[in-house]
Amino acid sequence: MDAESLRDTLLFISGELDVSMMNEPHPFPPVDKWDFTQHYPFRGSYPSNRRSVYLMTTRLNALPFFVTFDGADRNASTPKRDSSVTTIQSLYLLNDEFVHQQATKFAERLLREQSDDSARLYRAFELTLGRAPAENELAMADHYFQQLREQLISSSLPADQQERLVWESFARVLFRLNEFLYVD
């Protein structure tokens, strides 16, 4: 997926995507507050859960997500994009706050919508990969959940937080699968 589609997909499956159309401009600072110069350029950022097409485009201050995943060059017409596979992309999916937030929201969505592990697992696969899990994937997921739950038992966290952590962790696993990242 291209950078914009990947971002929008993470927001969509987590239930956080705002599909409303942008009707107002970004809250740019009032003119009397402008103190931008060549050496102190505007670096404002306006986080949003709207589709990526509505994000503010800055030339000097590209968002790391778009740089990492081959987003369009904001300084030039981009009829064709580069397509790369780098270790930085994998590390980004492992460590970035945005990805972790979407994993948390996705886990909360699964816990809210489904009442047991089996139903949650099927729903997670359906939303991320567009298919049901195979038998061997069910067995691996069961083993994964069992190991995580055993590790979390010794923690002092309440049971509901432990369960959310288990599903957050599994969401991050799904987000890094080639089958999720590449559309055939």
Side-chain angles (χ1 to χ4, degrees):
M1 285 188 272
D2 60 46
E4 294 85 354
S5 298
L6 179 56
R7 179 187 172 276
D8 292 356
T9 299
L10 288 171
L11 285 166
F12 177 75
I13 65 175
S14 69
E16 295 294 299
L17 183 65
D18 180 353
V19 295
S20 66
M21 212 169 140
M22 188 82 160
N23 294 324
E24 298 172 9
H26 293 285
F28 203 71
V31 175
D32 61 331
K33 301 276 188 212
W34 289 6
D35 56 357
F36 318 122
T37 67
Q38 177 182 0
H39 301 291
Y40 298 102
F42 175 74
R43 296 212 184 269
S45 179
Y46 302 104
S48 172
N49 284 350
R50 285 197 167 96
R51 291 180 47 227
S52 297
V53 72
Y54 294 121
L55 293 178
M56 188 173 109
T57 301
T58 55
R59 292 184 182 146
L60 300 173
N61 201 25
L63 295 173
F65 188 88
F66 295 109
V67 173
T68 304
F69 291 99
D70 303 316
D73 181 354
R74 271 90 165 108
N75 294 310
S77 177
T78 311
K80 186 174 179 181
R81 294 190 194 186
D82 293 334
S83 180
S84 65
V85 178
T86 67
T87 52
I88 292 173
Q89 293 168 340
S90 296
L91 291 170
Y92 191 94
L93 291 170
L94 275 171
N95 299 309
D96 184 68
E97 185 63 30
F98 171 75
V99 177
H100 282 257
Q101 288 169 354
Q102 299 323 303
T104 300
K105 295 296 182 180
F106 185 48
E108 290 169 354
R109 177 182 181 180
L110 292 172
L111 291 166
R112 184 177 58 248
E113 289 180 0
Q114 305 299 329
S115 58
D116 62 71
D117 278 355
S118 179
R120 287 182 193 128
L121 192 57
Y122 273 87
R123 184 72 172 142
F125 269 74
E126 180 184 79
L127 288 169
T128 56
L129 306 178
R131 65 172 177 83
E135 288 300 319
N136 65 329
E137 292 169 327
L138 289 171
M140 285 189 292
D142 257 354
H143 182 68
Y144 183 77
F145 294 148
Q146 185 179 20
Q147 283 185 317
L148 264 173
R149 287 179 177 134
E150 285 173 10
Q151 290 175 6
L152 288 170
I153 284 175
S154 62
S155 74
S156 60
L157 294 172
D160 62 327
Q161 283 184 334
Q162 289 182 22
E163 199 60 20
R164 193 196 70 209
L165 288 173
V166 166
W167 285 96
E168 273 180 46
S169 175
F170 189 69
R172 289 193 303 273
V173 168
L174 291 174
F175 292 171
R176 291 191 313 268
L177 293 175
N178 281 348
E179 192 174 347
F180 175 69
L181 297 168
Y182 296 92
V183 179
D184 289 331

